[in-house]
Amino acid sequence: MHVRVRLFGELAILADGRSLEAGYARGELLLAWLALHRGEAWSRERLAELLWPEKPDGVARRRLREVLYRLRRAIGDGERAEALIEAGRKHVTLHPGPDLEVDVWRFDALLDAVEAHEHVDVCACLPCLERLEEATRLHQGPLLRGEALPEGEAREGIARERGRRAEGLLRATGVLGERSVREGRWADALDLAARMLEHDPLHEPGVRLKMRALSGAGRQVDAVEAYDALARALERTGRPPADATE
């Protein structure tokens, strides 16, 4: 059985192309948490605290046992489930393998490959541009969008992971936007700028990309308006636009 886990946007778990239900919402969240920390051994006590902070210790540990049992049964036969999710007496670990595909793992690997690749100009490096395009396609929305996350450390930890992937998306989109500007593809550059600004309306590289694309398309008035809107918004936060934006 091939299992695909989608963490960008709404959480989805697919087994051989069909939707997989873990039985409990926290069971799916457990798989997501382990996927974000692949290969790490988590104590059962720690996982119970993270996922059921509102429950007494004994109840939380019992819930963990239940969701682990249901999750492993949903994945498939015993040996395959055990190969993916190792659930020992004290620790639980999600192991990477050919039968498990996670969109965040692929996203991270693509950005790492671009970072490690030696090139003079990333905007002129076709293999890296292809990697960045694939990464932006994978990022279908904020990590675990719409999930009811438990209060406390689990929510804070996922927020950190979400922010890290959003920063990666902004970097990737910025490179693709720069390439579009160089090639005079103003509409594509505007689309990429809009995607950057969806994540952060005050993201100055995104606004600069928008201004350059508008100017290149002959829409100088709109470019000035984009700058003025940013300057007004930043003024409310007590800081001026960066020199590069001016």
Side-chain angles (χ1 to χ4, degrees), residues 107 111 129 131-133 135-136 166-178 192 196:
F107 178 86
L111 296 190
L129 291 170
R131 294 181 183 112
L132 294 175
E133 287 172 349
T136 59
E167 290 174 2
L169 175 67
L170 289 171
R171 291 194 302 273
T173 308
V175 171
L176 296 174
E178 174 64 26
L192 290 163
M196 295 170 78

Side-chain angles (χ1 to χ4, degrees), residues 150-214:
E151 296 286 347
E153 291 185 51
R155 178 175 294 186
E156 294 168 2
I158 288 172
R160 287 192 297 271
E161 298 289 338
R162 182 180 290 159
R164 192 158 68 86
R165 284 6 181 265
E167 290 174 2
L169 175 67
L170 289 171
R171 291 194 302 273
T173 308
V175 171
L176 296 174
E178 174 64 26
R179 178 200 184 196
S180 296
V181 166
R182 292 185 188 184
E183 296 178 353
R185 293 185 286 109
W186 311 119
D188 289 345
L190 281 171
D191 288 342
L192 290 163
R195 187 166 188 190
M196 295 170 78
L197 295 173
E198 282 178 7
H199 287 267
D200 180 4
L202 301 183
H203 184 64
E204 293 196 52
V207 175
R208 289 197 292 270
L209 176 60
K210 180 179 180 178
M211 291 165 56
R212 292 172 67 196
L214 288 169

Side-chain angles (χ1 to χ4, degrees), residues 9-84:
E10 295 182 2
L11 174 62
I13 305 170
L14 302 174
D16 290 339
R18 61 179 176 80
S19 180
L20 183 153
E21 299 293 337
Y24 293 110
R26 295 286 169 91
E28 296 172 0
L29 185 58
L30 170 63
L31 181 58
W33 182 267
L34 293 173
L36 289 170
H37 302 86
R38 61 173 169 173
E40 295 183 22
W42 286 82
S43 73
R44 286 176 175 261
E45 181 180 1
R46 189 78 179 98
L47 287 172
E49 290 174 353
L50 286 167
L51 296 177
W52 291 275
E54 74 283 2
K55 300 294 184 183
D57 291 348
V59 174
R61 288 194 293 271
R62 186 171 65 251
R63 292 282 178 86
L64 178 63
R65 286 196 300 271
E66 292 171 356
V67 299
L68 270 171
Y69 174 76
R70 290 184 179 228
L71 181 59
R72 295 174 78 188
R73 283 198 63 183
I75 286 175
D77 63 80
E79 289 185 4
R80 187 163 298 180
E82 289 173 9
L84 291 177

Side-chain angles (χ1 to χ4, degrees), residues 80-95:
R80 187 163 298 180
E82 289 173 9
L84 291 177
I85 304 176
E86 179 185 351
R89 292 183 59 190
K90 293 186 176 181
H91 295 88
V92 180
T93 307
L94 181 68
H95 293 290

Side-chain angles (χ1 to χ4, degrees), residues 134-153:
E134 182 182 349
T136 59
R137 288 194 299 270
L138 284 170
H139 198 295
Q140 294 297 309
L143 208 64
L144 301 177
R145 180 179 60 203
E147 277 301 302
L149 303 176
E151 296 286 347
E153 291 185 51

